[in-house]
Amino acid sequence: MSQTYLAPEQISTNQIDLSGSKTWPLFKLIDHHIQASKHFPILYLNNTQYHVLFGHKQLNKDITTCICIERPESSHQLFLLFCELYDAASWPLMTKLSVMNYLYFNAKITRNILQKEFLKTLNLHQQGHQANHFNTLLKISQLPTKVQGFCQEKKYSLKQLKQLLLYPPSLLLQLSELDGPFKISASQFILLAQHAHDMAQNNRPITKIIQQIQQSNERPSQRSTRLINELKTQLTPRLSQANKHLHSLSATLPEQLQVNWDPNLEIKSLNLNVSFKRNEDIQSIAQLIQAPKTQKTLKAILKGI
Amino acid sequence: MSTQKQIFIDPSQSKSNTAQQIKQSCGSPIEVSEAPLNKDFRSGKKTLAITPKKGQAFDTCATYSNEYVCCNVKVLKSIKNCPFDCSYCFLQDYLNNSTMQVVGDTDALIKEIQSACEQQPWRLFRIGTWELGDSLALEAETGQAKALIKAVAKMPQVFLELKTKSDQVDSILDLDHQERSVISWSMNPPRIIREQEHRTSDYESRLLAMKKAVDAGYLIGLHFDPMIYYDEWEQDYPELIANIFETIPSNRVAWISLGSLRFKPDMKQQIMANFPKQQITHAEMVTGNDGKMRYVKPLRLDMYEKVISAIKAACNTDTISPIQVPSPNTPLFYFCMERWDVWEHLLGESPRSVGHLDHLFAQHLQHRFPHLVNNVASIEQYETSQDTPIRT
Ligand code: SF4
């Protein structure tokens, strides 16, 4: 970048030509961020007249110091300068991605220039296959607006955003619309997407399950936990069936004896919990365990694991 | 299999037999002192580097876990990455550098095998070159398997296992192998080969290659691993087994392994990203004690039961437990990375230890192929050997 920055200086506003100033579409994308921070307006000098490059809105505030530069010749340099001067590396991730999307699709900056010059400025560069990485970023920036808003709010990391790309955008949109009646955390959203996608691949619609839970009196956070558990159960029908059978067997044990097992049914082992209050109980519990009916039930449970 | 690849060679390997073979099959390779770094697992499959042997190549198969029965096979790390593109391949999430690498210095590999034999002259070694790739997929370019087959032909303690999903056997058919190399195929029904095992040889070609290997006097290994659940699995797997044993006689099959699809949970997303059309990750799975996702046990038991019945029928036997004295027609059967209770449920018994299963291999092979195995050391020796993982 061969850009000359002039030292910040006091410039009287009547020296500035505001006639052609309008909010740059790109500026709108980061407007909120800029408004919240103390960025200087950027000007350039043409003959004796200063023109606003970026940040004319800032002039309405009581900012008196401006940065004056030489106007870059190419549009991509202008954009790059904008990103540099407004500290693009610190923008929220979703904002950076929207900017990338704008630069590629609207400002028609080439993929090559974006990869080589912008990713670093936006602090989005990564080691490895650049073209793949760039495609991934673009895909994220094309997620439905509602989903992007959800991700922005939940402060998703790039790693988490990449995981979302594994699922159909329509599914993500459907799930993001649940936030409200359901209180969904960032990690729960990914888990939900995974389960809902697995359900769809197994031709099992989830709309009914969602409606049922939505009609309950539970708190939004309880609803999301229940939804995840319900989907998990439906995705493991054999496991659920087998566990149900084991629970029905264990319910027939005397109440002093309780058993539990690995619900994944991977570890073939049974834990037996006995509760007793007095020394005399020991003898009777031993008898209970040895009773043929108990033994038969315990063996049946172990066999079923 | 010889698709266009960029081939590199370490200068130290430029006079090796592998270099000669490469020159003949693909022209002169480019000399580089380090295998080019490839981060993308697919682009690495288009680059082949011939490297010197770095560090120890001879090792024990890395999948050992206390909860699962392991067969204690040894591995020779002579190949890294593979030109094929199986949707379930763990390499897509494993390699730091995805450039395919083949050790050019076969003499150094052979020396390591010899030294292992000298250190444990009492034991029988099964050694595979497939830990991080396919044993024969790059054979046309490198000739590595050929060199190893020739070398182990003179090693009475060794069975070399070359496991493949290719049909690349023509160049090894005429070798004087002395039956010390077992050519193994990882087999799945045609639909799985088509939909999941991309760029591998098709079903018919594998069967044909199997037949050629048998006709050339080789023993065969069969791996129904990973078994994959899909709509027609119940018809397709028994049909697959029947087809194989109509093509080759069971008395030439040294061993058969059975295992189901498994992968680390993180890999689920990798598979979904790399193979968006696949369906294999959506089945009913749980994470086991070794941290890998597998089909739930009731489903695995169902699937295994079907395959075992088909093997019994094809080999005309009532039992395929490796603990029983085998008939000449019964290959040694084992589960790969399965739980002890799965063995017991399906075979009525399980090896008591990893050393026990290793010993069963030696006994079995001696019983069926006495001309290939002289003495079998005691089970205690196998169980207490330093390189045998212990079941605690
Ligand atoms: S053949 Fe083996 S190593 Fe090659 S891609 Fe398939 S699973 Fe991976």
Side-chain angles (χ1 to χ4, degrees):
Chain A
M1 225 25 202
S2 61
Q3 202 57 57
T4 316
Y5 302 145
L6 308 178
E9 53 179 317
Q10 302 279 336
I11 296 164
S12 150
T13 40
N14 59 23
Q15 282 180 271
I16 302 172
D17 175 11
L18 283 168
S19 57
S21 299
K22 57 177 188 313
T23 306
W24 229 23
L26 177 58
F27 206 95
K28 277 190 193 152
L29 293 172
I30 63 155
D31 204 14
H32 176 74
H33 178 66
I34 301 284
Q35 292 297 328
S37 56
K38 290 229 177 305
H39 282 291
F40 304 115
I42 311 292
L43 314 177
Y44 70 96
L45 189 59
N46 191 2
N47 295 327
T48 52
Q49 189 79 49
Y50 288 99
H51 301 266
V52 184
L53 251 183
F54 329 115
H56 74 276
K57 268 194 188 170
Q58 303 289 87
L59 284 174
N60 300 335
K61 296 183 174 180
D62 28 334
I63 287 180
T64 50
T65 310
C66 303
I67 291 179
C68 189
I69 58 165
E70 268 180 34
R71 198 183 198 289
E73 275 162 26
S74 73
S75 68
H76 97 253
Q77 280 174 340
L78 190 64
F79 284 118
L80 195 57
L81 183 68
F82 172 80
C83 293
E84 277 174 3
L85 290 173
Y86 283 91
D87 193 17
S90 72
W91 297 344
L93 183 52
M94 291 312 300
T95 306
K96 291 181 194 177
L97 294 170
S98 312
V99 167
M100 267 242 333
N101 182 295
Y102 174 85
L103 294 174
Y104 185 67
F105 290 108
N106 299 69
K108 305 285 181 216
I109 310 268
T110 66
R111 170 183 285 268
N112 196 17
I113 290 176
L114 283 170
Q115 269 171 223
K116 281 199 182 131
E117 300 187 27
F118 280 80
L119 288 193
K120 212 164 192 167
T121 308
L122 289 163
N123 195 20
L124 286 174
H125 60 297
Q126 220 174 52
Q127 279 204 326
H129 204 277
Q130 284 308 311
N132 281 356
H133 177 56
F134 182 74
N135 285 343
T136 305
L137 297 178
L138 267 193
K139 275 190 203 152
I140 299 172
S141 76
Q142 289 171 294
L143 284 172
T145 318
K146 174 105 184 138
V147 177
Q148 290 195 36
F150 177 85
C151 297
Q152 173 100 293
E153 189 195 319
K154 308 281 171 186
K155 296 198 168 60
Y156 267 60
S157 66
L158 191 54
K159 196 173 166 205
Q160 287 174 311
L161 288 169
K162 279 186 190 170
Q163 290 180 31
L164 294 185
L165 291 185
L166 299 171
Y167 309 106
S170 56
L171 177 78
L172 297 176
L173 183 61
Q174 184 190 2
L175 296 176
S176 68
E177 279 164 355
L178 292 181
D179 197 35
F182 292 74
K183 188 165 182 282
I184 307 171
S185 70
S187 57
Q188 276 180 325
F189 188 75
I190 295 174
L191 203 57
L192 263 180
Q194 190 180 317
H195 288 344
H197 185 53
D198 283 347
M199 288 285 283
Q201 295 297 319
N202 286 301
N203 292 324
R204 299 164 78 171
I206 57 164
T207 324
K208 257 201 175 144
I209 306 171
I210 291 174
Q211 278 168 358
Q212 263 175 12
I213 298 179
Q214 208 163 339
Q215 280 158 11
S216 74
N217 293 329
E218 290 160 309
R219 276 183 283 123
S221 61
Q222 287 174 318
R223 285 181 183 157
S224 16
T225 312
R226 205 175 118 208
L227 178 58
I228 290 171
N229 289 341
E230 186 58 35
L231 294 183
K232 207 174 157 200
T233 309
Q234 300 234 7
L235 283 168
T236 49
R238 289 178 188 82
L239 211 55
S240 308
Q241 177 76 24
N243 273 309
K244 210 167 150 193
H245 173 62
L246 296 177
H247 281 295
S248 70
L249 285 173
S250 76
T252 66
L253 286 169
E255 64 178 18
Q256 296 92 323
L257 306 181
Q258 285 188 344
V259 284
N260 55 57
W261 56 88
D262 167 22
N264 280 342
L265 302 187
E266 275 297 294
I267 304 169
K268 195 173 184 73
S269 134
L270 199 54
N271 301 324
L272 181 62
N273 298 324
V274 290
S275 59
F276 60 88
K277 295 185 180 116
R278 296 163 308 184
N279 290 347
E280 304 84 272
D281 292 346
I282 298 176
Q283 189 60 28
S284 62
I285 283 171
Q287 279 169 358
L288 268 184
I289 294 174
Q290 278 166 3
K293 189 167 171 253
T294 311
Q295 298 248 327
K296 198 174 156 203
T297 309
L298 289 175
K299 280 179 194 162
I301 298 175
L302 191 59
K303 193 172 169 215
I305 296 174
Chain B
M1 231 49 61
S2 194
T3 45
Q4 211 53 45
K5 296 178 192 79
Q6 257 202 307
I7 306 188
F8 298 89
I9 192 162
D10 186 285
S12 68
Q13 303 304 303
S14 57
K15 296 210 164 62
S16 65
N17 290 339
T18 316
Q20 303 313 315
Q21 172 86 19
I22 292 264
K23 269 182 208 152
Q24 272 175 25
S25 55
C26 328
S28 290
I30 306 162
E31 286 202 7
V32 285
S33 53
E34 269 302 318
L37 182 65
N38 248 307
K39 284 278 170 198
D40 177 73
F41 95 99
R42 279 214 175 102
S43 62
K45 288 172 182 284
K46 293 186 199 126
T47 317
L48 170 63
I50 308 301
T51 67
K53 181 177 87 64
K54 287 178 191 156
Q56 195 183 325
F58 187 87
D59 206 348
T60 297
C61 177
T63 51
Y64 178 73
S65 148
N66 210 12
E67 303 290 332
Y68 300 85
V69 183
C70 144
C71 76
N72 207 16
V73 66
K74 305 298 166 196
V75 290
L76 193 66
K77 296 173 179 169
S78 60
I79 298 169
K80 232 188 234 172
N81 209 359
C82 165
F84 302 149
D85 201 14
C86 303
S87 60
Y88 52 74
C89 181
F90 82 106
L91 296 177
Q92 61 193 300
D93 190 37
Y94 183 81
L95 299 169
N96 292 328
N97 182 1
S98 70
T99 293
M100 294 190 293
Q101 296 175 50
V102 170
V103 174
D105 192 355
T106 41
D107 289 345
L109 294 171
I110 292 160
K111 270 196 196 120
E112 271 203 54
I113 303 177
Q114 281 165 337
S115 138
C117 291
E118 279 157 22
Q119 278 167 35
Q120 294 183 306
W122 52 269
R123 76 163 2 267
L124 188 72
F125 286 103
R126 286 165 290 118
I127 305 168
T129 59
W130 35 253
E131 195 193 35
L132 298 176
D134 184 287
S135 300
L136 292 176
L138 295 166
E139 186 58 13
E141 287 94 334
T142 69
Q144 186 194 68
K146 194 194 264 185
L148 294 173
I149 291 171
K150 282 193 208 159
V152 300
K154 298 179 211 112
M155 298 185 194
Q157 262 180 276
V158 173
F159 281 98
L160 174 72
E161 184 177 40
L162 300 164
K163 184 155 64 176
T164 189
K165 289 190 182 101
S166 79
D167 59 357
Q168 296 290 293
V169 292
D170 289 348
S171 63
I172 59 168
L173 294 178
D174 294 335
L175 301 178
D176 178 17
H177 54 76
Q178 297 291 320
E179 296 176 80
R180 301 232 67 93
S181 290
V182 177
I183 317 299
S184 288
W185 273 270
S186 163
M187 288 302 282
N188 257 313
R191 178 168 154 195
I192 295 295
I193 294 180
R194 270 196 316 272
E195 293 178 4
Q196 310 297 340
E197 298 177 351
H198 309 285
R199 310 222 302 248
T200 62
S201 295
D202 63 29
Y203 178 69
E204 285 77 20
S205 310
R206 286 192 215 176
L207 280 186
L208 190 64
M210 221 180 266
K211 170 122 181 44
K212 284 186 192 170
V214 169
D215 291 345
Y218 284 103
L219 288 173
I220 302 297
L222 294 172
H223 300 278
F224 302 110
D225 188 6
M227 239 192 123
I228 290 176
Y229 175 80
Y230 62 104
D231 294 347
E232 287 101 35
W233 73 269
E234 234 167 323
Q235 297 89 54
D236 288 357
Y237 277 97
E239 203 174 303
L240 163 75
I241 288 155
N243 270 348
I244 292 175
F245 287 105
E246 276 160 20
T247 311
I248 57 166
S250 63
N251 66 2
R252 296 306 295 165
V253 179
W255 49 71
I256 299 178
S257 80
L258 184 54
S260 64
L261 178 67
R262 52 202 178 273
F263 48 80
K264 292 205 178 123
D266 284 355
M267 223 185 87
K268 175 169 177 169
Q269 290 174 340
Q270 195 87 33
I271 296 174
M272 286 170 70
N274 292 335
F275 301 90
K277 287 197 190 121
Q278 62 75 35
Q279 296 278 326
I280 59 171
T281 53
H282 308 301
E284 189 177 353
M285 294 181 126
V286 287
T287 308
N289 301 73
D290 59 353
K292 288 190 187 141
M293 295 182 75
R294 291 176 161 70
Y295 298 132
V296 291
K297 210 177 352 168
L299 177 56
R300 300 207 304 276
L301 292 176
D302 262 11
M303 293 171 76
Y304 293 156
E305 201 156 16
K306 265 270 156 13
V307 169
I308 288 173
S309 304
I311 296 172
K312 281 183 188 167
C315 299
N316 196 17
T317 177
D318 292 336
T319 175
I320 53 167
S321 163
I323 299 161
Q324 303 303 314
V325 179
S327 81
N329 290 337
T330 316
L332 180 135
F333 173 87
Y334 65 107
F335 290 106
C336 183
M337 296 310 289
E338 257 312 341
R339 308 187 76 91
W340 307 86
D341 62 280
V342 167
W343 280 73
E344 276 151 26
H345 184 100
L346 292 162
L347 301 177
E349 52 196 351
S350 74
R352 68 180 194 204
S353 64
V354 170
H356 184 195
L357 181 54
D358 199 358
H359 181 255
L360 285 170
F361 267 96
Q363 263 192 333
H364 222 271
L365 289 165
Q366 190 202 33
H367 192 92
R368 293 178 65 217
F369 311 106
H371 59 293
L372 296 176
V373 183
N374 291 332
N375 296 312
V376 175
S378 70
I379 180 170
E380 286 75 22
Q381 220 161 349
Y382 274 89
E383 283 187 319
T384 53
S385 159
Q386 266 180 4
D387 62 333
T388 304
I390 297 167
R391 179 188 179 185
T392 48

